[in-house]
Amino acid sequence: DYNAPMFSPDGRRLAYNVGKGRGGILGDIWTVLLADPAPSRLTFDEFSAAPVWSPDGTQIAYIVTAGASPGIQRKPADGSGAATLIGESSTRVLIPGGWSPDGRLFVYTDVDKREIRLVDVSTGKSRVFASEASAPAFSPDGRYVAYNGAMGSGEPRVFVQPLEGDARWQASPNFGSFPKWSGDGRELFFLQNSRVMKVDVETRPSFRAGPAQVVFGGLEGYSWRTSPIVNWDASRDGKRFAFVEFRREGLQGMQVAVALNWGQTLKAGAATKDAR
């Protein structure tokens, strides 16, 4: 029951959460050094999910749904300190999106209110950034946020919006979800059905996206439709991607049994019962 794998900014580590069993998402946050895959447990409350790294890789934020301080908490990535809240304590379902590059702002999805909110990390004050939206991601220059939005069909599209002002651009030509920026801000990745797509982008003087390109497909055996949890990630160099693979033994155990000539079998069983 692994979920939400997220690369550290330097690409050397991965954070993820492990559910409590039977498909559960809530559990505890773990980290692993990719060169030496011995995992380290970060939380011990069994009600955590959806980790994201701070820009300098020293902290990890995640949602906690129970306990004395439910809400979005942050903790040193090496486990050396206590957890503290980002923003106010809340019993609503809040899914972390991440910090701005300067660490001043934090963006998250309020699932209950179906909106994206920005919170000032130092004051804890928040504001609505986008409605009917989820899965936000700051651009590397801190000027934009990409996110899932919906249009008339109700299917999610990837939109990009500046921190200030009313402008908004659609980055995916049609259906697309769970955007991820490359480290240099020149590419925006997103998922489309079982494929990873990308668009080349420019952010100055304003945002502009090129045509969508297929990076690779074949994600049918991976867990990528888990909204509002973002269940995949792209490394900053855009060369590595992290997904959660379904258990293959579980797939092998899912079989359809076909009974042939079942009518005759029932008749034979009834005749045997009458004879007895």
Side-chain angles (χ1 to χ4, degrees), residues 1-4 15-21 23-31 39-41 43 46-51 247:
D1 294 313
Y2 294 94
N3 283 282
Y16 55 93
N17 68 275
V18 182
K20 292 184 288 187
I25 291 178
L26 294 176
D28 277 304
I29 309 301
W30 292 68
T31 63
S40 176
R41 189 173 180 176
T43 67
E46 296 189 338
F47 291 98
S48 300
R247 289 194 183 121

Side-chain angles (χ1 to χ4, degrees), residues 2-199:
Y2 294 94
N3 283 282
M6 297 292 155
F7 286 107
S8 61
D10 62 9
R12 298 175 60 237
R13 293 171 292 172
L14 203 67
Y16 55 93
N17 68 275
V18 182
K20 292 184 288 187
R22 297 189 177 276
I25 291 178
L26 294 176
D28 277 304
I29 309 301
W30 292 68
T31 63
V32 64
L33 184 65
L34 295 178
D36 180 20
S40 176
R41 189 173 180 176
L42 184 68
T43 67
F44 298 85
D45 53 52
E46 296 189 338
F47 291 98
S48 300
V52 293
W53 296 83
S54 63
D56 61 4
T58 63
Q59 298 182 76
I60 293 177
Y62 48 91
I63 175 66
V64 178
T65 62
S69 301
I72 296 177
Q73 296 187 7
R74 57 176 170 173
K75 191 174 184 179
D78 61 4
S80 61
T84 57
L85 278 171
I86 295 179
E88 298 179 353
S89 178
S90 176
T91 57
R92 298 193 304 277
V93 179
L94 311 178
I95 306 300
W99 279 268
S100 58
D102 60 8
R104 184 176 61 88
L105 299 175
F106 192 89
V107 66
Y108 64 90
T109 301
D110 188 320
V111 177
D112 296 341
K113 292 187 176 182
R114 301 174 66 179
E115 64 189 19
I116 293 172
R117 300 187 69 88
L118 281 171
V119 59
D120 187 302
V121 175
S122 61
T123 65
K125 294 182 179 181
S126 67
R127 65 177 176 89
V128 177
F129 178 76
S131 300
E132 298 298 321
S134 63
F138 267 107
S139 63
D141 62 8
R143 299 178 63 213
Y144 302 92
V145 174
Y147 60 86
N148 287 4
M151 294 190 70
S153 65
E155 290 185 340
R157 266 75 166 165
V158 173
F159 291 93
V160 174
Q161 186 172 320
L163 283 185
E164 304 295 338
D166 298 325
R168 187 171 79 152
W169 299 272
Q170 183 174 331
S172 61
N174 43 43
F175 171 79
S177 58
F178 306 123
K180 297 283 184 179
W181 298 85
S182 63
D184 59 10
R186 296 178 180 177
E187 295 175 313
L188 185 62
F189 300 96
F190 59 91
L191 300 184
Q192 185 184 80
N193 296 323
S194 58
R195 302 180 298 181
V196 173
M197 309 289 291
K198 75 169 185 176
V199 290

